[in-house]
Amino acid sequence: MDIRKRFGKKLRALREEQGWSQEEFADRAGLHRTYVSAVERGVRNPTLSVLERLAKALGVSIEEVFKGL
Amino acid sequence: MDIRKRFGKKLRALREEQGWSQEEFADRAGLHRTYVSAVERGVRNPTLSVLERLAKALGVSIEEVFKGL
């Protein structure tokens, strides 16, 4: 599975651990819901700055988001 | 320091540990030397796919690249 798909699955799992909808997660990260949805499906290629926003919204480090990927 | 600058410094340190020039690192990652130089200086915002290429060239996981950042 390519890195975008693996990352998307991991991101979705981390979001679901928080009990958040995609909309809530997107709002917390300052991103659009459709963008978060596309990242979770592995169809977007997020930049480093977006990775940081996603990790911050989840309250974890970027390292933590990539753990085990 | 913003994430691009912190990441660039870390990437440079990892490259220097290998004793590689920017050109050698870029060749191994399939990227252009000027692009690698810009990433190391924190003036580019690399995508997830590029992060994977950089980590693979270094022989480490993406998690490892972000350790301590």
Side-chain angles (χ1 to χ4, degrees), chain A residues 6 45-49 52 68, chain B residues 6 45-49 52 63:
Chain A
R6 284 183 285 131
N45 195 11
T47 62
L48 184 52
S49 299
E52 187 186 40
Chain B
R6 285 182 284 130
N45 196 9
T47 62
L48 185 52
S49 299
E52 187 186 39
E63 176 189 348

Side-chain angles (χ1 to χ4, degrees), chain B residues 7-42:
Chain B
F7 176 79
K9 281 172 76 105
K10 179 72 180 287
L11 196 71
R12 174 167 293 178
L14 290 168
R15 171 177 64 76
E16 290 177 346
E17 269 177 31
Q18 300 294 328
W20 295 339
S21 65
Q22 286 182 339
E23 185 152 19
E24 177 157 11
F25 184 26
D27 283 351
R28 287 171 178 265
L31 299 166
H32 197 275
R33 186 193 62 75
T34 58
Y35 182 77
V36 168
S37 168
V39 172
E40 286 189 358
R41 285 178 286 118

Side-chain angles (χ1 to χ4, degrees), chain A residues 12-47:
Chain A
R12 174 167 293 178
L14 290 169
R15 171 178 63 76
E16 289 176 347
E17 270 177 31
Q18 300 294 327
W20 294 340
S21 64
Q22 286 182 339
E23 185 152 19
E24 177 158 9
F25 184 25
D27 283 351
R28 287 171 179 265
L31 299 165
H32 198 276
R33 186 194 61 76
T34 57
Y35 181 77
V36 168
S37 168
V39 172
E40 285 189 357
R41 285 178 286 120
V43 299
R44 292 296 293 266
N45 195 11
T47 62

